[in-house]
């Protein structure tokens, strides 16, 4: 009888642990970005997914939009804060998938993102036609996958005509607020 009770208790603990992991995505997002300096509420309009989950969705030929950013990048922190504010004032209930690419500081990891996810530059977007590796850019990156293929990627937006809809007035980079509004409307994250 004691072994049955121990097994039942073990199953219960595992179930509670899995449920808490499933519901902690927005909590961990809040903690990561709040600790990085973003003045945000606990209700965030983002749903963390891992690199592996994004790859799985891409490999399964799903259609989805995902943003990439790093809490260690000051412009990303400003962008996240701004998008959280946008969601608050518009009473946005939908979420956007988000991959924390803090690990992409090394060339090998950035290459992994390029090769396996097809994103040109996870660290920052560029709307200019310069293709220099010395280019210093900042801000969140958004990628739309349609049936597993990259439809557009804001890190090299000039490669995709559709990104013209998100261009800032000086056409040098993408307005991430416009991208987020588009994502919330047409490609919200599927949250369980």
């Amino acid at each position: 009888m004691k072994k049955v009770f121990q097994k039942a208790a073990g199953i219960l603990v595992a179930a509670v642990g899995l449920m808490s992991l499933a519901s902690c995505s927005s909590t961990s997002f809040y903690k990561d970005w709040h600790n990085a300096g973003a003045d945000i509420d606990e209700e965030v309009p983002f749903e963390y997914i891992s690199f592996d989950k994004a790859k799985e969705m891409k490999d399964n030929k799903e259609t989805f939009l995902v943003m990439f950013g790093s809490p260690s990048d000051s412009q990303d922190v400003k962008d996240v804060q701004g998008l959280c504010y946008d969601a608050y004032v518009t009473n946005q209930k939908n979420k956007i998938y988000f991959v924390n690419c803090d690990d992409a500081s090394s060339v090998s990891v950035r290459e992994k993102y390029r090769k396996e996810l097809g994103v040109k530059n996870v660290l920052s977007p560029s709307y200019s036609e310069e293709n220099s590796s010395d280019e210093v850019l900042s801000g969140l990156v958004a990628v739309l996958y349609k049936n597993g293929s990259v439809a557009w990627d804001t890190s090299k937006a000039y490669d995709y005509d559709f990104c013209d809809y998100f261009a800032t007035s000086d056409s040098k980079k993408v307005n991430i607020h416009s991208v987020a509004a588009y994502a919330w409307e047409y490609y919200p994250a599927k949250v369980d």
Side-chain angles (χ1 to χ4, degrees), residues 14-179:
V16 169
L18 287 174
M19 287 190 306
S20 68
L21 283 175
S23 64
C24 73
S25 177
S26 63
T27 302
S28 60
F29 186 97
Y30 168 78
K31 286 179 182 175
D32 289 349
W33 293 85
H34 180 73
N35 290 342
D39 184 14
I40 58 177
D41 292 329
E42 288 188 46
E43 291 296 316
V44 295
F46 299 104
E47 182 70 19
Y48 259 159
I49 60 172
S50 66
F51 171 92
D52 291 334
K53 178 66 176 173
K55 184 177 181 329
E56 176 186 319
M57 292 168 70
K58 179 185 177 297
D59 291 347
N60 288 338
K61 301 194 180 313
E62 293 183 37
T63 295
F64 63 101
L65 188 142
V66 64
M67 287 193 178
F68 297 89
S70 169
S72 61
D73 181 286
S74 62
Q75 186 59 49
D76 288 359
V77 172
K78 289 177 189 173
D79 286 349
V80 163
Q81 180 174 309
L83 295 179
C84 287
Y85 179 78
D86 292 352
Y88 171 76
V89 298
T90 61
N91 197 27
Q92 185 56 248
K93 299 299 179 202
N94 289 330
K95 293 187 180 254
I96 300 170
Y97 289 123
F98 199 102
V99 173
N100 180 338
C101 56
D102 233 3
D103 63 342
S105 59
S106 76
V107 173
S108 63
V109 174
R110 284 195 304 275
E111 187 57 33
K112 178 180 163 186
Y113 277 87
R114 278 189 209 99
K115 186 176 183 180
E116 297 184 33
L117 293 181
V119 62
K120 294 184 180 184
N121 184 359
V122 294
L123 293 181
S124 52
S126 169
Y127 203 77
S128 68
E129 292 194 31
E130 293 182 34
N131 215 359
S132 169
S133 60
D134 298 331
E135 201 170 9
V136 178
L137 307 166
S138 61
L140 299 176
V141 170
V143 178
L144 175 65
Y145 296 92
K146 284 197 175 178
N147 302 318
S149 297
V150 174
W152 48 260
D153 170 355
T154 63
S155 69
K156 292 295 181 187
Y158 63 85
D159 285 351
Y160 306 96
D161 291 338
F162 193 81
C163 287
D164 289 343
Y165 293 110
F166 306 126
T168 59
S169 59
D170 65 3
S171 293
K172 294 293 181 200
K173 61 188 212 176
V174 168
N175 181 325
I176 202 66
H177 299 273
S178 297
V179 175

